[in-house]
Amino acid sequence: MAEFLYCLNTSTIQPTPLLEKIRVAGAAGYKAIEPWNDEIDEYLAKGGSLSDLGKAISDAGLEVVSVIALHSWATTEGDEYVRALDECRRRIDQAVALGSPYIVASPPQEVVDLPHITARFVELLAIGEQAGVTPSMEFLGFVDGINSVSSAWAIAQGARNAKATIVADVFHMIRGGGSVDDLLKIPGHRLANFHINDVPATPDPLTQTDYDRVMIGDGIADLPRVIANLRTIGYRGPLSLELFNKELWTHDPFDVARRGLDRIKALVEA
């Protein structure tokens, strides 16, 4: 049994249609997939069903480890907040239908009051618990507020719920001004998912966007240290390859997916 669960985040092989992404992930040798609610909506709008999507995932030998993402839950108020929670419930229901244990709770762009966003996260956790899926707190290195392991972990801890977890990402740890050693601040069982990728030397890592991410081994991130830190904290969950590299999107999706899995295995199993 593999030490980690090798997963393909579907952003890595855009603009491939969702069913083809699933086929590619299974054929390339992944054991899990991490889809986005927006592409699930696109698939459904074209006449697909969640049951057929779930069957395609199962037939490919895959499981869904997380779905991305919940938005507008942290800063909206009044009727807008009610609508935001209704949309979160709809997206959570999609995750339930696909058998996902987690769904990503994305942070707002702006700085927010920590007790306020923690209270909102508690509400999300309650909605998720009722449905059977756990929202996991994400940090984004390029936003002004929740942009580090520490800030996301403070929210998860503040929720005072043993099921409260975070999602971590190589790119976001570096982009937010932190380091891959920030992983050592959290216990492995409170990390729901880990997004693996690499960071180029230029432009300045503190100014990069999602689209600057590069294939594992093509950048400057200390990825062997990342794996060592995950082992140190006892994490044994998914390693989800998450790239938004537009140049890679022009390549054959199977070749990109297979190269990514080969790089992950070489990193982990060396």
Side-chain angles (χ1 to χ4, degrees):
M1 185 174 181
E3 182 181 7
F4 301 102
L5 183 63
Y6 298 139
C7 175
L8 180 67
N9 184 299
T10 55
S11 68
T12 302
I13 53 172
Q14 293 191 52
T16 308
L18 182 54
L19 285 181
E20 179 64 7
K21 288 177 177 178
I22 292 166
R23 187 198 68 78
V24 165
Y30 291 87
K31 297 302 180 184
I33 197 165
E34 187 179 16
W36 293 63
N37 290 102
D38 288 346
E39 64 185 342
I40 295 171
D41 286 342
E42 182 179 353
Y43 165 79
L44 296 175
K46 293 179 178 178
S49 69
L50 287 171
S51 60
D52 285 347
L53 188 59
K55 184 177 186 305
I57 291 168
S58 177
D59 288 349
L62 301 168
E63 62 182 281
V64 177
V65 294
S66 178
V67 178
I68 306 171
L70 305 178
H71 302 287
S72 302
W73 55 273
T75 57
T76 51
E77 301 294 341
D79 290 344
E80 190 178 0
Y81 180 53
V82 172
R83 289 191 293 271
L85 285 191
D86 285 344
E87 175 63 8
C88 286
R89 290 185 181 94
R90 188 186 72 83
R91 291 178 172 231
I92 285 170
D93 286 345
Q94 288 183 345
V96 171
L98 297 180
S100 177
Y102 294 105
I103 188 167
V104 172
S106 288
Q109 295 287 319
E110 64 268 35
V111 175
V112 290
D113 176 72
L114 190 62
H116 175 76
I117 194 172
T118 301
R120 288 290 180 85
F121 186 58
V122 169
E123 293 183 42
L124 272 191
L125 287 171
I127 292 170
E129 185 171 6
Q130 186 174 24
V133 169
T134 302
S136 187
M137 188 66 218
E138 181 181 39
F139 64 94
L140 299 173
F142 46 68
V143 304
D144 293 327
I146 311 305
N147 58 13
S148 66
V149 169
S150 295
S151 56
W153 180 227
I155 293 166
Q157 281 187 302
R160 301 187 182 281
N161 185 325
K163 292 185 177 180
T165 56
I166 74 166
V167 178
D169 183 301
V170 174
F171 168 79
H172 287 303
M173 285 190 290
I174 295 171
R175 176 62 176 83
S179 83
V180 298
D181 286 343
D182 292 340
L183 286 170
L184 300 175
K185 299 176 181 179
I186 60 173
H189 70 281
R190 302 292 288 274
L191 183 60
N193 195 2
F194 189 79
H195 292 162
I196 192 161
N197 40 64
D198 211 337
V199 178
T202 57
D204 181 345
L206 297 182
T207 68
Q208 289 179 17
T209 72
D210 270 331
Y211 301 109
D212 291 308
R213 302 176 187 216
V214 293
M215 179 60 75
I216 292 168
D218 290 349
I220 60 170
D222 190 348
L223 296 179
R225 192 174 185 91
V226 168
I227 299 303
N229 288 342
L230 290 173
R231 287 175 172 143
T232 295
I233 65 175
Y235 178 73
R236 296 296 183 268
L239 293 180
S240 185
L241 179 67
E242 187 185 53
L243 301 172
F244 300 87
N245 189 294
K246 291 182 179 180
E247 195 272 330
L248 288 176
W249 288 350
T250 68
H251 294 196
D252 180 89
F254 177 83
D255 291 344
V256 174
R258 185 66 210 183
R259 190 191 329 161
L261 182 58
D262 288 345
R263 298 279 182 97
I264 294 173
K265 287 184 173 181
L267 184 65
V268 171
E269 300 170 15

